[in-house]
Amino acid sequence: MQPAVFLDRDNTLIANDGDLGDPLAVKLIDGVAPGLAALRDAGYRLVVVTNQAGVARGKFTESDVDLVHQKIAAMVDETAGRTNIIDRFYYCPYHPEGTVDEYRRDHPWRKPHPGMLLQAARDLNIDLSHSWMVGDQARDMLAGRASGCRTILISSNGHPPELQPSAAVPGFSDAVQHILKHPPANTNGTAPARSRMENPPVAQFQLASDHSAEALGAAVRDLGALRRSILDLADELRSHRQRGSEFTILRMVAVFGELLVVLLAALGLMQLNTMDVFLKWMIGALLVQLITIALLLLDNR
């Protein structure tokens, strides 16, 4: 197992006070790229965990979030003169007060919940007890503490006493220096060394295996498309039912198929914390839905 540094995104790595879905507006904070490179050299995995409620508010899409993260990763690599410095990007597009129905709810990944950190620990075999959470908000500290990490708050204005981060510093470079002064001890009392050739690819969305950034970004887009396809297919099924009320064996089978679709989708939603399992359930629901529609089309003939 390896230690990690979990990183908030906005006003920790990039300057941003609102919802950002435009990769052209990405601006790295001074010292971020060399600081991340130093943490990698010290043996830490680097994982970005960020709430992206702009998706739930309808300001941009998950594909836009993907593009922003690709831009951040590219800028960090270019500035530091390295490749694949950041291991993974995890984000939560949900918000209980969102305007997009699909995303209007709370979610275990939404900070201050620790879901993103726990998922990353499973995906990347991370030792949470020797890891850090770095961010500029109370929710970052609460998520880090709930997952068992040490926490560093970036703030020049102090913090509430009850927040109790492991450390509070004025800037990102200060956070890096604090982490480097407190390495996870092994038998030599130093952080485990890590080869630059070990760097895995940047990933967009928290699946359970190490894929390339392109493959994971495509998986995220396919997931959104899958959800939309199921909704469209359900609408088509309803329209078929409205065109006639004659009872037939095929229609009876289609009704049972529709119930099975709902059951599979519900079981899939119960597995949101394990995205590969979730995808399998949703693909199964889609296949059953396609069979159901085929039966209805055959019946109409």
Side-chain angles (χ1 to χ4, degrees):
M1 298 181 74
Q2 285 186 288
V5 178
F6 295 99
L7 302 146
D8 177 48
R9 193 190 81 175
D10 299 327
N11 290 327
T12 298
L13 300 181
I14 65 172
N16 177 49
D17 291 319
D19 294 319
L20 177 61
D22 180 6
L24 297 179
V26 171
K27 182 180 179 181
L28 289 181
I29 292 175
D30 291 343
V32 162
L36 294 178
L39 291 172
R40 286 305 297 264
D41 288 341
Y44 290 97
R45 285 192 178 267
L46 301 178
V47 180
V48 178
V49 289
T50 175
N51 291 349
Q52 289 302 310
V55 176
R57 298 187 183 103
K59 294 186 176 181
F60 45 79
T61 68
E62 292 191 50
S63 294
D64 295 324
V65 178
D66 185 15
L67 292 174
V68 168
H69 289 167
Q70 291 179 26
K71 180 66 172 180
I72 293 172
M75 291 180 69
V76 168
D77 288 351
E78 181 180 0
T79 303
R82 300 268 293 275
T83 58
N84 297 328
I85 290 180
I86 298 175
D87 288 284
R88 291 276 180 102
F89 286 86
Y90 291 74
Y91 69 90
C92 181
Y94 299 96
H95 193 284
E97 298 178 1
T99 58
V100 180
D101 290 342
E102 183 181 358
Y103 300 101
R104 187 172 57 243
R105 64 185 179 91
D106 199 6
H107 192 278
W109 281 23
R110 179 170 172 77
K111 295 180 291 185
H113 304 311
M116 286 187 283
L117 288 78
L118 298 177
Q119 184 66 48
R122 291 190 289 268
D123 292 347
L124 302 175
N125 197 28
I126 289 171
D127 182 355
L128 290 170
S129 65
H130 289 121
S131 297
W132 298 82
M133 174 71 219
V134 179
D136 68 318
Q137 299 291 328
R139 58 178 173 263
D140 301 317
M141 303 300 99
L142 294 173
R145 186 188 307 166
S147 65
C149 296
R150 289 173 286 181
T151 56
I152 299 181
L153 178 67
I154 297 178
S155 173
S156 57
N157 301 319
H159 58 84
E162 63 272 15
L163 195 56
Q164 296 182 338
S166 304
V169 297
F172 185 81
S173 296
D174 303 292
V176 171
Q177 292 305 312
H178 183 88
I179 294 170
L180 295 178
K181 289 177 182 177
H182 299 81
N186 59 16
T187 54
N188 297 320
T190 59
R194 182 177 187 174
S195 168
R196 294 186 183 184
M197 295 301 292
E198 244 182 278
N199 296 351
V202 174
Q204 176 54 35
F205 200 26
Q206 28 334 321
L207 302 178
S209 58
D210 286 340
H211 298 292
S212 68
E214 266 182 47
L216 284 167
V220 174
R221 291 189 290 272
D222 289 345
L223 177 58
L226 176 60
R227 291 172 176 168
R228 289 189 293 273
S229 295
I230 290 175
L231 293 174
D232 292 341
L233 289 170
D235 288 339
E236 185 173 347
L237 178 59
R238 284 192 294 270
S239 68
H240 278 296
R241 287 205 301 261
Q242 290 168 0
R243 284 198 286 268
S245 59
E246 182 183 356
F247 179 81
T248 66
I249 296 298
L250 288 177
R251 290 197 178 197
M252 182 178 70
V253 174
V255 168
F256 283 110
E258 183 73 0
L259 293 175
L260 181 57
V261 168
V262 174
L263 175 62
L264 291 173
L267 291 172
L269 290 173
M270 294 172 63
Q271 302 294 328
L272 278 173
N273 286 340
T274 309
M275 293 306 298
D276 56 342
V277 177
F278 169 74
L279 280 172
K280 290 177 182 178
W281 283 110
M282 297 305 288
I283 290 171
L286 177 58
L287 291 175
V288 175
Q289 184 73 82
L290 290 171
I291 294 171
T292 301
I293 290 176
L295 290 173
L296 287 171
L297 292 174
L298 182 62
D299 181 67
N300 284 343
R301 294 180 60 186

